[in-house]
Amino acid sequence: MKASGSEKLIGVVIALPGLADASQGVSIYSPHYPSWGRNVPFVRLLRDKLGDGYEVPIFLDCVNRYQAVAEREKGGADGVTNSSSLTR
């Protein structure tokens, strides 16, 4: 979908289930998508699929890491230094 009016795409964040190499943009293994196999260059494939005109940063990591960051920034772990001991 193309942006309209004054909207501008500034980046893409991909949260994959399973193991990911964020620095390489690679899905190491996804239990939800076993047919992908291992070490899928996800960011490169997405860039190829999007084509020209989408020269924005693409961030990829495992969903668990993004969940931890979100919890730290906006959730119950806001302001604590170690969220591993939090209970609900």
Side-chain angles (χ1 to χ4, degrees), residues 1-33:
M1 173 169 59
K2 296 273 185 183
S4 62
S6 62
E7 295 175 334
K8 180 180 177 186
L9 181 66
I10 59 170
V12 176
V13 175
I14 302 163
L16 290 175
L19 302 174
D21 180 340
S23 66
Q24 298 297 313
V26 171
S27 172
I28 296 170
Y29 174 73
S30 177
H32 298 321
Y33 305 102

Side-chain angles (χ1 to χ4, degrees), residues 4-85:
S4 62
S6 62
E7 295 175 334
K8 180 180 177 186
L9 181 66
I10 59 170
V12 176
V13 175
I14 302 163
L16 290 175
L19 302 174
D21 180 340
S23 66
Q24 298 297 313
V26 171
S27 172
I28 296 170
Y29 174 73
S30 177
H32 298 321
Y33 305 102
S35 63
W36 288 1
R38 294 182 181 266
N39 300 315
V40 177
F42 198 93
V43 170
R44 182 179 57 79
L45 294 171
L46 179 59
R47 283 204 183 280
D48 291 347
K49 193 70 146 169
L50 291 174
D52 295 335
Y54 288 95
E55 300 303 321
V56 298
I58 298 176
F59 303 96
L60 171 139
D61 210 337
C62 64
V63 69
N64 302 88
R65 194 175 331 268
Y66 283 135
Q67 286 172 328
V69 170
E71 193 66 30
R72 173 90 186 243
E73 295 297 316
K74 300 290 184 184
D78 185 26
V80 300
T81 57
N82 183 350
S83 60
S84 65
S85 61

